[in-house]
Amino acid sequence: MWRAVLALVLAAGVANARCEDHKPGARPQNTPREFVGQTLDEIIDRGWIEIAVYEDYPPYSWQDGATARGVDVEVGRIIAESLGVEPRFRFVQSGETLEADLLNYVWKGAAVGGRVSNLMMRVPYNSDFTCRVEQVVFTGQYAGEKVGIAYRIDDYPDAVQEPNADGRHPGGPVPSFFVYDPVGVENDSISDFYLTSTFGASARITRYKTVADAMEGLAGGEVWAVMGPLSQLEAGAGEGVAVHAPLLPGFQLSRWTLGVALHQSHRDLGYAVDEAVAAALADGRIAAIFAQYGLDFTPPDR
């Protein structure tokens, strides 16, 4: 998933105006029927919709025994309820790139035993990036995400725990601290990319397989802070750990918008999804989902 966001950072740095560097490709011809999903009418007639979510990715999507849980799961249930159908969640692995995930789960299917799902959740939205993947409709922007820093309160006793208006804790750690203070990041993540490109070998970085692993390292005193997506930090913060969202100078894409992806041939489904999400944003249901999981809600750019 982090590689997906990193792809958007790189895309944002290339194009000066929307789609100006993109040449439309040839439209796929004779695509097998099973690879293009189902129409909205077919979904309603059969009574269920398949929604792809990332596996083992709390607080967004994971399996608790036989029960699907997480923010993205709950938003998917709202969409299904609006359509009058049952949601069925397909837990999928994150690939090397966002393009690979969209190909495998949205518009074509993996080469061996692959199939597409009707919808895919937690797809980072970037206006320029949409030009590069013509086979996909990006819609239903339901939340914003941003990079934050979790830290051990004992290691930063001068930090003010009450956040100011923009979410910062005065005196709390900022990226420049990590030339001296040990910080954990998910390996090959956008935070890893930022700290390495900004401070090089001077940064005291410990790399972990996941943000959750980094937060365990923080709890165990291996590092003083962890840098990553704010919601994941909040979900993993235990006793003695605070989380804030400091200013990140020079960070090209420290905030991004999350939405839903579906096959480009089913725009009627896309319109229905966007209407369901817009209604749930307006009446507070999506904000309530974040509160249910103990997370701050960042409204999306729509």
Side-chain angles (χ1 to χ4, degrees):
M1 178 59 192
W2 265 114
R3 292 181 179 88
V5 180
L6 183 55
L8 299 193
V9 174
L10 299 177
V14 172
N16 295 318
R18 186 176 189 272
C19 303
E20 71 172 6
D21 64 341
H22 175 73
K23 295 181 180 179
R27 294 291 183 181
Q29 299 295 319
N30 301 320
T31 303
R33 179 66 182 84
E34 64 269 25
F35 283 170
V36 299
Q38 291 79 33
T39 67
L40 177 58
D41 288 342
E42 288 172 328
I43 291 169
I44 293 174
D45 287 344
R46 76 182 182 189
W48 56 273
I49 186 169
E50 184 178 271
I51 303 173
V53 293
Y54 286 108
E55 66 180 11
D56 299 325
Y57 202 43
Y60 312 121
S61 50
W62 76 96
Q63 288 179 288
D64 182 4
T67 304
R69 299 194 184 280
V71 169
D72 297 344
V73 168
E74 299 301 335
V75 175
R77 288 185 174 126
I78 285 176
I79 293 170
E81 180 182 11
S82 176
L83 299 177
V85 297
E86 170 198 351
R88 295 186 182 179
F89 295 97
R90 174 189 179 191
F91 286 85
V92 300
Q93 294 182 342
S94 175
E96 287 297 315
T97 66
L98 177 56
E99 289 99 324
D101 289 349
L102 295 172
L103 182 151
N104 287 334
Y105 309 128
V106 175
W107 69 267
K108 185 175 183 181
V112 179
R115 73 177 196 278
V116 300
S117 296
N118 302 121
L119 304 175
M120 184 170 183
M121 306 298 293
R122 190 151 289 270
V123 176
Y125 177 81
N126 175 275
S127 179
D128 295 314
F129 180 78
T130 63
C131 303
R132 288 165 41 187
V133 188
E134 301 171 65
Q135 303 90 343
V136 175
V137 170
F138 299 84
T139 189
Q141 286 79 31
Y142 58 90
E145 184 61 280
K146 55 189 173 184
V147 173
I149 295 175
Y151 62 93
R152 291 169 55 90
I153 296 171
D154 289 347
D155 291 325
Y156 296 95
D158 295 332
V160 177
Q161 300 306 305
E162 187 65 29
N164 57 20
D166 58 8
R168 290 181 293 151
H169 293 179
V174 297
S176 60
F177 284 30
F178 304 138
V179 174
Y180 308 99
D181 301 344
V183 60
V185 298
E186 180 178 345
N187 189 42
D188 285 338
S189 68
I190 194 173
S191 297
D192 187 1
F193 176 80
Y194 171 69
L195 292 175
T196 301
S197 62
T198 303
F199 304 110
S202 298
R204 295 189 60 190
I205 300 172
T206 298
R207 294 173 176 87
Y208 295 86
K209 183 178 180 180
T210 66
V211 174
D213 291 339
M215 291 300 288
E216 289 182 7
L218 180 66
E222 298 173 8
V223 292
W224 290 13
V226 171
M227 189 170 176
L230 190 68
S231 295
Q232 286 185 275
L233 302 181
E234 291 174 332
E239 185 176 353
V241 172
V243 180
H244 76 140
L247 297 176
L248 301 172
F251 207 150
Q252 195 164 26
L253 193 67
S254 61
R255 299 169 182 255
W256 59 96
T257 296
L258 296 160
V260 182
L262 63 146
H263 194 280
Q264 61 87 20
S265 64
H266 300 308
R267 293 182 181 273
D268 54 348
L269 175 59
Y271 297 140
V273 167
D274 199 57
E275 289 177 3
V277 169
L281 287 169
D283 64 20
R285 280 178 289 162
I286 290 181
I289 290 170
F290 279 78
Q292 171 188 338
Y293 285 95
L295 310 174
D296 290 332
F297 173 62
T298 301
D301 292 327
R302 287 175 58 89

